[in-house]
Amino acid sequence: MSGLIVLFERELKKWFGRRPVLFMSLVTPLIWIALFGKSFNLNALVNISAQSLIPPQLQGFIDPKVIEGMVKKALNKQLKSMFGTTDYFTFFASGMLVAFCIFQGAFGGVGVVFDKRLGYMRRILVTPVRRSYIFLAKLFGTLARISILSLLLLGTSIPLGFKFKPNLSIGDIIMPWVAVMLLSVFILSIYMVMAFYTDNQEVLFAASNLINLPLMFASNAIFPLKQMPGWLQTIAEYNPVTHAAYIVRYHLIGSPIPNYWESIIYLAASSTVLLAFSMYYSVRKMDMGV
Amino acid sequence: MPDNCAVEVMGLTKRFGDLVAVDKVSFCIPKGIVFSLLGPNGAGKTTTINMLSTLLKPTGGDAYIHGYSIIRDRGEVRQIIGLVPQDLTADDELTGWENVYIQAKLYGLPSGKAEEKTEEALRFMELWDHRKRRVSTYSGGMRRRLEIAMSLVNEPRVMFLDEPTLGLDVHSRRHLWGLIERLKEQGTTILLTTHYMEEAEYLADRIAIIDHGKIVVEDTPDGLKARIKGDRIYLRLGEEEAVSVVKALTEKGFNASLRNSDSIIVKVERSEEILPELISILQGRKLLEIRVVKPNLEEVFIELTGRGLRGEESFDSFKYRVMRRRMR
């Protein structure tokens, strides 16, 4: 066990030691939330001048306030049915929590490639430490990093107007974290296989462009499924990112979830299967000589 | 298996597809000596070390480290060996102390013991005063010493040093040689690969010359040098002259042969006595260069393999740049 702990500590030390990287990875969620979240301000659409909506012949007969109220109500109803909240920022910020671990997960894999290329991996492999610990240390290191950054992301979004659902319980904080961790395991498992397969970090960079954005867009992370064409909806329904976002939103902002347990089980199962394969493959690779 | 072998290699083979990197290699390293694998790049030195240190599975054959098989008893082998790889593997984002301490923990040592071993290793390699510095600030010589310190924490009975002085200046290389000698005095068996013949000559008790994955010869440094009796005189002449000069020299009873189109190698017992006669024979010829070489391992190598030790380097530009950056 001490081998696992010391390798895990190394991951964190490296992260904290890289001041520019640490700074950027802390600032990134801030920027994302502040810029993206606020630029898609759909609520502004509701603030229209009701006066202009009333035909001239009816001017004076109808109170613009009533019209304004009706329009707002109609739009809010539409927004609520689309996003599960009247506040797009809250919808977006909670989706970002999920999207963020897609990108962070990719970095975990890059670390393995560099350890291989710079010979550090050989250095560890020549000791009697268990091969699975080497894999797990990278995994836990990445999960710890994502946990800290997600918390920061959420913390940042509160002063910017994130609206939690009323009566938030401890479970409503823990379960989104579990969902984010499961999704991170899913993503990282993919990248670990690639990292142990190749010695070239470029492969991972190319793959992250190929994988990350489609995973994000073919899900409800930043836009609801209802607005998607049928075929894309079908894809999104099989995307673990969608299910992680469902769970996160259900607990944090009280959005409806089609089937709570189905989402949890689907997410947990897909992460477990991928993790098992990824760990088996990585340990085998280490045994054969990286 | 002879009892005095710390490392007993038997028919070890490694194939990568069609390429036979190591071809049925066998040797025994007696306990407590420095044994050197000498050969050009690509001869199979690193592949052999990788197999012996359990990093790579052999295609055929086996080897025993203090009686433990590198195939069946990998856990036991890892406990009693230390490997100093060719690359600079220390994590340069961490301090020297952290790098060594991590190694100690990976051998399963409890914290107190790990700290003790870390201090011992750093002091032994004369890095204690620099322990708190990030490795990225270390000089090339310090980094090489740190590589060895990292391999000492488990008090290995057998150390594999793969080109331990690659890229070092003469001063740092001498310093490192002294430390390797001290390791040997402590009773550690050392397998050293190198393509610097002076390194093998200085450190090794026994040398195996390896080429194209095969051991060509194995002997003590003196024994190897004795194989090429006498000196070598290299002559470079005008292209049209070389053949006729060989003929003339052979007629006079010299052991002369054509090396390539414009150069000749003359094997003599004592060059000092022969040179005046040789020069008088060559009078009137277009002599461009004359070079006398005393017996050394490079000559042994050329004699046995027909080519020099410095072959083409296998080249990974990324690794090269990292190495350059790290060797400041």
Side-chain angles (χ1 to χ4, degrees), chain A residues 76-141:
Chain A
N76 275 337
K77 210 174 157 190
Q78 188 63 24
L79 282 174
K80 180 103 185 165
S81 84
M82 260 173 74
F83 298 115
T85 167
T86 56
D87 177 14
Y88 181 72
F89 174 73
T90 299
F91 177 88
F92 177 85
S94 50
M96 261 310 111
L97 279 174
V98 175
F100 202 64
C101 52
I102 305 178
F103 292 90
Q104 284 296 324
F107 293 148
V110 175
V112 172
V113 174
F114 276 98
D115 274 354
K116 278 166 66 186
R117 286 196 77 154
L118 297 177
Y120 195 82
M121 186 63 79
R122 286 157 49 85
R123 182 53 96 170
I124 317 175
L125 285 176
V126 87
T127 71
V129 73
R130 278 194 200 188
R131 275 51 192 147
S132 54
Y133 286 174
I134 299 171
F135 177 91
L136 290 174
K138 274 279 178 231
L139 182 81
F140 292 149

Side-chain angles (χ1 to χ4, degrees), chain B residues 196-215:
Chain B
Y196 299 119
M197 50 170 178
E198 61 275 22
E199 186 159 293
E201 213 161 348
Y202 184 89
L203 288 171
D205 299 301
R206 285 190 79 76
I207 295 173
I209 290 182
I210 181 169
D211 192 34
H212 296 303
K214 284 195 166 111
I215 302 244

Side-chain angles (χ1 to χ4, degrees), chain A residues 48-276:
Chain A
I48 43 163
S49 155
Q51 192 74 41
S52 62
L53 287 176
I54 304 167
Q57 60 271 37
L58 292 178
Q59 296 251 343
F61 293 100
I62 300 168
D63 184 0
K65 287 258 171 358
V66 176
I67 298 286
E68 213 173 289
M70 280 165 68
V71 170
K72 260 194 174 156
K73 212 169 164 186
L75 275 169
N76 275 337
K77 210 174 157 190
Q78 188 63 24
L79 282 174
K80 180 103 185 165
S81 84
M82 260 173 74
F83 298 115
T85 167
T86 56
D87 177 14
Y88 181 72
F89 174 73
T90 299
F91 177 88
F92 177 85
S94 50
M96 261 310 111
L97 279 174
V98 175
F100 202 64
C101 52
I102 305 178
F103 292 90
Q104 284 296 324
F107 293 148
V110 175
V112 172
V113 174
F114 276 98
D115 274 354
K116 278 166 66 186
R117 286 196 77 154
L118 297 177
Y120 195 82
M121 186 63 79
R122 286 157 49 85
R123 182 53 96 170
I124 317 175
L125 285 176
V126 87
T127 71
V129 73
R130 278 194 200 188
R131 275 51 192 147
S132 54
Y133 286 174
I134 299 171
F135 177 91
L136 290 174
K138 274 279 178 231
L139 182 81
F140 292 149
T142 310
L143 293 185
R145 218 161 58 203
I146 292 173
S147 299
I148 295 169
L149 291 175
S150 306
L151 214 62
L152 200 89
L153 191 79
L154 192 60
T156 314
S157 54
I158 295 169
L160 290 169
F162 190 92
K163 289 195 196 82
F164 287 101
K165 73 172 187 187
N167 305 321
L168 208 65
S169 70
I170 291 287
D172 288 330
I173 297 292
I174 291 175
M175 281 316 288
W177 177 75
V178 170
V180 163
M181 290 298 101
L182 285 174
L183 182 65
S184 304
V185 167
F186 179 86
I187 306 284
L188 192 63
S189 296
I190 299 175
Y191 281 100
M192 289 288 257
V193 169
M194 278 191 274
F196 275 99
Y197 172 77
T198 179
D199 271 349
N200 191 344
Q201 68 277 9
E202 307 280 336
V203 173
L204 267 78
F205 296 145
S208 71
N209 284 336
L210 184 72
I211 297 172
N212 290 357
L213 291 180
L215 265 180
M216 186 167 85
F217 287 120
S219 81
N220 60 351
I222 49 176
F223 223 69
L225 295 189
K226 276 183 196 161
Q227 298 306 305
M228 295 176 183
W231 59 272
L232 189 55
Q233 267 187 43
T234 313
I235 293 174
E237 273 161 17
Y238 287 101
N239 186 347
V241 179
T242 302
H243 295 278
Y246 273 147
I247 297 164
V248 168
R249 290 205 177 103
Y250 171 76
H251 283 287
L252 288 183
I253 59 181
S255 301
I257 181 166
N259 189 329
Y260 183 78
W261 285 108
E262 196 182 282
S263 284
I264 293 221
I265 290 166
Y266 182 76
L267 185 60
S270 48
S271 300
T272 310
V273 169
L274 224 57
L275 175 67

Side-chain angles (χ1 to χ4, degrees), chain B residues 100 104 109 112-122 149 152-155:
Chain B
V100 180
L109 298 180
K113 187 86 179 153
E115 280 169 22
E116 192 185 302
K117 286 289 151 203
T118 302
E119 178 170 351
E120 247 172 55
L122 284 169
L152 288 178
V153 286
N154 60 324
E155 295 179 340

Side-chain angles (χ1 to χ4, degrees), chain A residues 8-75:
Chain A
F8 171 70
E9 280 171 1
R10 168 178 176 251
E11 294 294 322
L12 293 188
K13 263 186 196 148
K14 280 170 79 75
W15 189 47
F16 286 118
R18 285 180 199 145
R19 295 283 146 71
V21 176
L22 184 65
F23 174 76
M24 276 187 272
S25 49
L26 294 180
V27 166
T28 308
L30 256 116
I31 306 255
W32 281 29
I33 284 290
L35 289 186
F36 291 116
K38 285 295 171 187
S39 63
F40 288 109
N41 189 358
L42 298 186
N43 296 64
L45 292 177
V46 188
N47 297 326
I48 43 163
S49 155
Q51 192 74 41
S52 62
L53 287 176
I54 304 167
Q57 60 271 37
L58 292 178
Q59 296 251 343
F61 293 100
I62 300 168
D63 184 0
K65 287 258 171 358
V66 176
I67 298 286
E68 213 173 289
M70 280 165 68
V71 170
K72 260 194 174 156
K73 212 169 164 186
L75 275 169

